[in-house]
Amino acid sequence: MFSADLLANAVVSGLLLGGFYAAVAIGLAIVFGQLDIVNIAHPAFVIVGSYTAYIFNTTFGFDPILVGVAAMPLFFAVGVAIYRLYYAAFERTGQESLSGLAFFFGLMFIIEVTLILAYGVDYRLVSAGYSAQTLSIGFVDLPGRMLVPFLVAMTLTAAVWLYLSRTFMGRAIQAVAQDRGALQLMGADPVRIKQWAFGLGIATAAIAGALLIIIGPVEPSVGRQYIGRVFAIVVLGGMGSIQGMLIAALLLGVTENLVSTFYGPSWSPAVAFGVLLATLAIRPAGLFGR
Amino acid sequence: MRGRGFWAASAALLAAGLAFTELADNPYYFNATYVVLQALIMAVAWNILGGFTGYVNFGSAAFFAVGAYTTIFLQKAFGLPLPLMILAAGLACGLIGLGVGYLTLRLKGVYFAIATLAMGIVLETLVNNWSYVGGAKGTFMLTPDEHLWFDSYSEMLFMIMLVLALGSIAISRALSSSRLGRGLAAIRDDEVAAECSGVPTLRLKLVSTTVMGAMMGVAGAPYPYFVTYVDPISAFNLFIAVNAIAMPMIGGTSHWAGPVIGALLVGSAQEVITVTISSELNVLLVGIMLVLFITLAPQGIVGLARKHWRKRS
């Protein structure tokens, strides 16, 4: 049962999986980590991204990743609109904790049920040339349906990291997380910056969704399994740190894959939530707390 | 509502329930009211923590499912009578609630909410892998033959649920109007200030999470007999958790009557829509109503009524 090449394969495919998790979690790392908005509907937006990729792939034959990139502006606009509503209804009146949470919970539910009403609960999948190919290095296999999402996820992570640390707007987003009042004194409008950042966070869901449906078939309630994963990753990564988030994502991917290889796939959902519970109970600041 | 009026109304409802089981024959009525009453207990229980102290619990379905699976386990292992199982489910979920209460020591606000969500999935995975109670395949429950003096088993379950619901409302009402309830409200408004003023916040939070857990477990205990087939997907259904949050939010979380009003209104609307239109649409409706109410009327129906009252006087 236990052998070196099985272990090596489990670790490598865990790393590929973890890289993909980073793409799902990065939007939340911005929205929850930097802005302190508990968007538990983020995985639901990822699923919307998957269905967008699915629709354009099956009707026009477009590549899912291209569809994801093309859908980003639309997702951005939706994100901005949702933030405006969230700000007007909750943040301005200081009710974001209880009502804000319930708001996103309801939003997640609405998205899921709408998708079920429109497309049913059947698993949907896309076809792309690279998903059937496999790259083999020694005894380690790198299947294309995992490798391509991994590479795209790494590109996305690097791009967001560069954006946040190099551009004016990116630094302003980090500033709004640290000290809202000081930012206002510098002549920047925190609400406009937060709305931009929220839009950016939702826009990444378009790409993450395309990657999700390349990796495997998707149905509307799949998003729920990702709630635990993405929050585990963001909290473990130390809230808003992009490097920390990436390391946490890779760690979770490898752990989950090892558990599913050696104990059976039915146990793997508990890994993320177990890690999350343990982190919250023992070290809420995460591995790389700010 | 003053003390005597409340008890008189409860006794009248109980008598009406008994009369209902004597007069009505159509089993649909009992099944529909059972579902509404089950949701009512869940909503009242959620509000004891969520409404009174402001800690949001997303894991309501997990407590409900543990209650249901306690019944399944005890039925398979010992074949106990239903009242004992309800008691055992209450105890088991009360203990889990106590554990959740200790989580509040370290986790405030959103972190607590996410932790309860995580707890739900961990418990679901455990049940999925526990083959004795059916695992992921689920399990069938046989309805016992005897049903006291009632015409059918579902009539008896309806009556049991009515008693449990009235009991939950009485407990919630007693909690909210007591010294303890004022302590809980102090935690909701400002936990640090409450602690500084000598409110024993940890003990109060533990009481509130334990009562909440026990009540949800009690609501889940008769469920296997009601549906006769239980699997993890139906018992841990997100819909149960959404209802438990939506009903108090729509009714109003600050008053004990809020979740009752919300549950009766939303629960009955769901039953009507399920029959007349479709069951998917009824699920969607709850989500939309939840979002609409918390954006437009954060104080719920109770809050709207209060505003209306003040304007008139």
Side-chain angles (χ1 to χ4, degrees), chain A residues 32 36 38 40 85 89-90 95-114 116-117 224-225 227-228 231-232 235 239 266-270 273-274 276-277 280-284, chain B residues 46 50-51 54-56 58 103 106-107 109-119 121-122 125-126 128-129 236-239 241-242 245 249 253 278 280-281 283-284 286-291 294-295 298-299:
Chain A
F32 180 48
D36 284 326
V38 200
I40 43 175
L85 182 66
F90 310 112
Q95 283 183 324
E96 59 257 51
S97 56
L98 196 139
S99 307
L101 259 177
F103 170 74
F104 283 115
F105 195 60
L107 200 62
M108 169 182 98
F109 202 63
I110 293 175
I111 293 174
E112 192 182 311
V113 178
T114 311
I116 289 177
L117 280 175
R224 244 181 269 158
Q225 296 166 11
I227 300 174
F231 275 95
V235 173
M239 297 292 291
S266 63
W267 284 104
S268 73
F273 286 98
L276 177 62
L277 271 183
L280 287 175
I282 299 161
R283 194 177 149 70
Chain B
W46 185 89
Y55 278 88
V56 179
F58 280 138
L103 273 182
R106 301 209 55 153
L107 303 176
V110 295
Y111 293 99
F112 176 79
I114 298 165
T116 56
L117 197 68
M119 181 203 72
I121 307 268
V122 170
T125 313
L126 288 179
N128 256 329
N129 286 287
F236 285 88
N237 201 328
L238 189 70
F239 186 53
V242 172
I245 295 173
M249 286 277 185
T253 52
S278 81
E280 282 93 7
L281 198 74
V283 176
L284 183 63
V286 182
I288 292 174
M289 271 177 86
L290 171 65
V291 169
I294 51 183
T295 40
Q299 304 298 319

Side-chain angles (χ1 to χ4, degrees), chain A residues 149-161:
Chain A
F150 174 80
L151 295 175
V152 175
M154 288 304 107
T155 317
L156 178 70
T157 311
V160 170
W161 181 72

Side-chain angles (χ1 to χ4, degrees), chain B residues 52-63:
Chain B
F52 294 173
T53 68
Y55 278 88
V56 179
N57 170 20
F58 280 138
S60 311
F63 287 101

Side-chain angles (χ1 to χ4, degrees), chain B residues 272-293:
Chain B
V272 171
I273 292 170
T274 310
V275 175
T276 53
I277 310 173
S278 81
S279 56
E280 282 93 7
L281 198 74
N282 117 54
V283 176
L284 183 63
L285 183 90
V286 182
I288 292 174
M289 271 177 86
L290 171 65
V291 169
L292 277 184
F293 260 90

